[in-house]
């Protein structure tokens, strides 16, 4: 955010923090609880490295953590209502019609067996099977920035099949087992119902293929979703005859099929890979129940090859006929935004510092962190809008990062 006067930047922080707290107030029946939630938000954005109840209470000037704990546990308020508040707040600043919805999960390491959803399961956060909770998230990503706008705690079958365990963790009675793709599909439907402006969805191979793809086709949204090398593809195009696994098809491609393109800027400049794209079929989306009048759409296979060692990654795609490959590459590259969101939310905002064991405690804590992250995104976007034009355009712009936004100023008190 270079080029922004300090007084302007501090004013932005102050205005946005007041505004975020004002959005919180209607969710609570009592003014005192709303004030505690505001202090909770202050604690998340404050300098303390650990965002525990005691640390937040100390930052708020309380003699103990009880007010902070009450926000997550004893009081009655709707975390899903806060999720919707966060979404609308972020979209007010970041919305664009060609934005991308990024679906991914992250792990929360836990000890014991009592925390809702905890169990031995794989998490990329640790790179192994370990005792943890898994949260599925949706990030909204546009050229203006990115923010987390949806979340859901994943419950393994050994939880949903144990009524006593569910009751102890205060899981709502209507919550049933749902696969991660099913959770992602529900998030897409919720975004569509809320008229969130987006054109694309991208996710890794955990979320394809099947339910999520069908939900997106019916909604008239394009996608770039990861698949494994063993996933089978067939072409229905009269000009192309392809059949086999993604890995087999990629291996048979001639060198002239590959093009070096950037998937977006990283910390060291453009993230360059070799890409190959095959259009496998042209279809009328109305065949799968999509809205009429969308025109012809194309199903395809996108392959990414790392120049240094030739490692391949594979993606199934669905887009309007004639979309250029560099657009699909750009969409796939948007997945970095949710990785940045997880890193910043954990390292700076205490996403994984939740001390509650209940279903509603997890969703309340995570939703408050999402509000804090959205505030960073909005401040960054508005600061960029008032910044003076750069003196030179020769330098490669650094990628947007909410973490750098938070560390660039001292948070003012309100």
């Amino acid at each position: 955010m270079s080029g922004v006067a300090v007084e302007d930047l501090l004013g932005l922080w102050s205005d946005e923090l007041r505004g975020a707290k004002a959005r919180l107030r209607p969710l609570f029946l009592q003014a005192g609880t709303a004030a505690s939630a505001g202090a909770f938000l202050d604690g998340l954005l404050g300098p303390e490295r650990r965002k525990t109840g005691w640390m937040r209470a100390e930052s708020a000037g309380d003699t103990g953590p009880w007010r902070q704990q009450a926000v997550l546990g004893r009081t009655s308020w709707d975390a899903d209502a806060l999720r919707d508040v966060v979404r609308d707040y972020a979209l007010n600043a970041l919305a664009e019609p060609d934005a991308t919805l990024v679906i991914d999960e992250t792990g929360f390491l836990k000890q014991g067996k009592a925390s809702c959803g905890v169990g031995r399961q794989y998490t990329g956060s640790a790179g192994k099977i370990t005792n943890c909770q898994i949260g599925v998230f949706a990030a909204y990503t546009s050229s203006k920035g990115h923010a987390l706008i949806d979340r859901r705690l994943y419950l393994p079958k050994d939880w949903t099949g144990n009524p006593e365990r569910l009751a102890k963790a205060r899981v709502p009675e209507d919550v049933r087992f749902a696969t991660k793709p099913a959770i992602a599909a529900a998030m897409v439907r919720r975004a569509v119902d809320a008229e969130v402006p987006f054109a694309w969805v991208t996710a890794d191979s955990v979320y394809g293929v099947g339910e999520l793809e069908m939900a997106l086709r019916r909604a008239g949204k394009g996608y770039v979703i990861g698949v494994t090398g063993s996933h089978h593809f067939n072409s229905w195009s009269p000009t192309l005859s392809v059949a086999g696994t993604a890995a087999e098809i990629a291996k048979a491609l001639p060198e002239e099929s590959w093009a070096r393109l950037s998937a977006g800027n990283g910390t060291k400049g453009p993230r360059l890979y070799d890409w190959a794209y095959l259009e496998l079929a042209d279809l009328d989306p109305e065949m799968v129940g999509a809205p009429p009048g969308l025109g012809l759409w194309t199903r395809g296979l996108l392959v990414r090859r790392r120049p240094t060692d030739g490692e391949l990654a594979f993606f199934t795609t669905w887009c309007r006929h004639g979309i250029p490959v560099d657009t699909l590459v750009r969409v796939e590259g948007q997945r970095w935004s949710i990785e940045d969101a997880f890193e910043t939310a954990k390292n700076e905002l205490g996403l994984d510092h939740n001390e509650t064991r209940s279903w509603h405690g997890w969703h309340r804590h995570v939703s408050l962190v999402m509000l804090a992250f959205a505030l960073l995104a909005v401040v960054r976007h508005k600061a960029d809008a008032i910044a003076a034009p750069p003196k030179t355009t020769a330098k490669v712009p650094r990628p947007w990062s909410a973490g750098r936004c938070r560390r660039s100023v001292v948070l003012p008190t309100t």
Side-chain angles (χ1 to χ4, degrees), residues 12-79:
L12 271 177
W13 271 100
S14 183
D15 290 345
E16 291 304 323
L17 186 56
R18 288 195 190 97
K21 291 180 180 179
R23 291 171 182 267
L24 276 175
R25 290 188 190 110
L27 303 179
F28 302 92
L29 295 176
Q30 298 181 342
T33 309
S36 295
F40 195 113
L41 186 62
D42 286 338
L44 295 178
L45 291 163
E48 291 79 11
R49 300 305 299 174
R50 292 289 299 173
K51 313 294 184 178
T52 62
W54 275 103
M55 295 296 100
R56 293 193 308 272
E58 184 175 309
S59 177
D62 294 339
T63 58
W66 305 283
R67 288 175 56 198
Q68 296 288 300
Q69 291 171 346
V71 172
L72 299 183
R74 293 191 297 276
T75 55
S76 177
W77 62 280
D78 187 356

Side-chain angles (χ1 to χ4, degrees), residues 134-154:
I134 298 291
V136 179
F137 290 80
Y140 186 85
T141 303
S142 73
S143 65
K144 299 176 182 179
H146 55 271
L148 299 167
I149 65 167
D150 209 341
R151 77 291 175 267
R152 161 78 187 264
L153 180 63
Y154 170 73

Side-chain angles (χ1 to χ4, degrees), residues 73-317:
R74 293 191 297 276
T75 55
S76 177
W77 62 280
D78 187 356
D80 286 349
L82 176 55
R83 173 202 62 202
D84 296 344
V85 164
V86 173
R87 180 194 64 215
D88 295 344
Y89 172 52
L91 292 176
N92 190 50
L94 308 181
E96 287 181 337
D98 64 343
T100 301
L101 204 62
V102 187
I103 308 291
D104 203 357
E105 63 189 68
T106 190
F108 301 81
L109 303 183
K110 287 289 183 180
Q111 300 295 323
K113 300 179 180 180
S115 296
C116 189
V118 73
R120 288 191 57 79
Q121 48 197 328
Y122 178 82
T123 171
S125 304
K128 62 181 181 181
I129 295 175
T130 188
N131 211 54
C132 65
Q133 297 167 307
I134 298 291
V136 179
F137 290 80
Y140 186 85
T141 303
S142 73
S143 65
K144 299 176 182 179
H146 55 271
L148 299 167
I149 65 167
D150 209 341
R151 77 291 175 267
R152 161 78 187 264
L153 180 63
Y154 170 73
L155 293 182
K157 287 184 178 180
D158 58 355
W159 270 87
T160 56
N162 189 329
E164 181 179 354
R165 203 177 191 191
L166 294 174
K168 286 183 178 180
R170 300 178 66 182
V171 177
E173 293 183 359
D174 60 345
V175 173
R176 300 288 185 268
F177 174 75
T179 64
K180 294 169 186 175
I183 293 173
M187 290 181 174
V188 167
R189 288 190 290 268
R190 191 153 45 239
V192 170
D193 290 344
E195 299 182 349
V196 173
F198 69 103
W200 299 93
V201 168
T202 186
D204 66 20
S205 58
V206 172
Y207 297 92
V209 178
E211 186 169 357
L212 178 57
E213 283 191 282
M214 291 306 299
L216 290 170
R217 293 188 186 188
R218 289 172 181 145
K221 305 296 182 181
Y223 60 73
V224 180
I225 299 178
V227 293
T228 65
S230 61
H231 184 73
H232 204 274
F233 286 88
N234 287 294
S235 66
W236 304 336
S237 169
T239 60
L240 178 67
S241 178
V242 172
T245 66
E248 291 168 345
I249 294 170
K251 185 177 180 180
L253 290 174
E255 192 58 34
E256 57 265 25
S257 298
W258 299 87
R260 185 155 296 182
L261 299 168
S262 172
N265 289 325
T267 56
K268 299 180 180 180
R271 292 177 287 140
L272 295 171
Y273 295 91
D274 296 328
W275 300 85
Y277 174 60
L278 293 87
E279 293 185 347
L280 302 177
D282 291 335
L283 300 170
D284 184 343
E286 291 184 48
M287 294 171 58
V288 293
L294 295 178
L296 204 61
W297 284 53
T298 298
R299 177 177 177 268
L301 167 64
L302 181 68
V303 186
R304 186 185 70 200
R305 184 175 68 188
R306 191 158 59 190
T308 54
D309 58 8
E311 182 183 68
L312 299 177
F314 312 96
F315 307 90
T316 180
T317 67

